[in-house]
């Protein structure tokens, strides 16, 4: 377990693009979900050996993330996905991806659907790189702004509240994924959690 406070977490953390670049060093097929067009483009430019498939949330019009390749040969046309439903990614064949990059997904419904889909879609020992404003060990928030945001979310819907890392870990384990890394992303003031499929659950 790492970091009891935000100051310790923020020391020397990478950016999202740097983290992805450093962890996807070989040719791979990666499903992205929840990020902006610019984030997809930045990650794809940093990893020319990786083929990217952007996911489009079903509650947004498909033309908000047009089915184009961002001018990059390694970005495929986007597909509509819904991270909330447990049949998430049903339109995609099993064992298709080396990794999934899920950006700003933290509600219980999103995470349950994401991990259920990841269990089916990932290849053996594939990874889920999950970012979000998760609470640290002991329940501490990364910032006062995150604490205020969390209080507002809890008043609206308890299932949308920001979970602690341990809670996310437990949910991932139910779907056969184990966390193998955790870093603070300096460009997003959030955490990135790295989960591996088919890892040792002991």
């Amino acid at each position: 377990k790492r970091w009891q406070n935000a100051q310790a977490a923020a020391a020397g953390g990478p950016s999202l693009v740097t983290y992805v670049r450093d962890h996807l060093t070989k040719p791979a097929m990666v499903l992205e979900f929840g990020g902006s067009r610019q984030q997809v483009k930045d990650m794809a430019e940093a990893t020319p050996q990786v083929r990217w498939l952007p996911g489009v949330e079903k509650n947004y019009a498909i033309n908000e993330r047009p089915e184009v390749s961002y001018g990059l040969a390694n970005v495929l046309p986007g597909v509509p996905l819904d991270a909330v439903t447990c049949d998430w990614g049903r339109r995609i064949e099993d064992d298709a991806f080396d990794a999934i990059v899920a950006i700003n997904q933290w509600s219980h419904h999103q995470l349950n659907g994401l991990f259920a889909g990841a269990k089916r879609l990932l290849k053996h020992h594939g990874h889920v790189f999950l970012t979000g404003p998760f609470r640290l060990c002991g329940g501490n928030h990364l910032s006062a702004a995150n604490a205020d945001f969390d209080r507002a979310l809890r008043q609206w819907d308890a299932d949308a509240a920001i979970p602690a890392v341990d809670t996310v870990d437990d949910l991932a384990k139910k779907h056969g994924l184990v966390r193998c890394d955790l870093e603070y992303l300096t460009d997003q003031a959030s955490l990135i959690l790295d989960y591996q499929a088919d890892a040792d659950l002991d």
Side-chain angles (χ1 to χ4, degrees), residues 82-193:
D82 184 356
V84 173
T85 61
C86 287
D87 63 347
W88 183 80
R90 182 55 57 187
R91 66 180 58 234
I92 303 172
E93 64 184 40
D94 294 356
D95 305 319
F97 297 97
D98 299 283
I100 295 171
V101 177
I103 299 174
N104 284 331
Q105 307 292 303
W106 69 78
S107 77
H108 178 82
H109 297 308
Q110 287 175 327
L111 294 175
N112 189 59
L114 170 65
F115 289 136
K119 182 179 180 180
R120 183 178 69 80
L121 296 178
L122 285 176
K123 297 177 182 178
H124 185 60
H125 286 171
H127 288 259
V128 173
F129 302 122
L130 171 66
T131 79
F134 305 108
R135 290 183 285 123
L136 299 169
C137 300
N140 296 319
H141 281 283
L142 290 169
S143 67
N146 280 2
D148 292 340
F149 182 46
D150 190 32
R151 281 191 290 270
L153 288 172
R154 290 176 186 275
Q155 293 177 354
W156 172 62
D157 181 358
D159 286 334
I162 298 172
V165 171
D166 290 349
T167 300
V168 183
D169 290 348
D170 289 342
L171 186 57
K173 285 181 180 179
K174 292 180 180 179
H175 298 286
L177 294 111
V178 175
R179 177 165 57 84
C180 54
D181 195 19
L182 181 158
E183 290 286 351
Y184 179 85
L185 298 178
T186 55
D187 61 329
Q188 297 190 36
S190 65
L191 298 180
I192 185 163
L193 312 179

Side-chain angles (χ1 to χ4, degrees), residues 56-65 80:
V56 182
E57 293 186 76
K58 288 184 177 179
N59 58 332
Y60 290 99
I62 190 71
N63 60 10
E64 291 187 16
R65 294 278 297 278

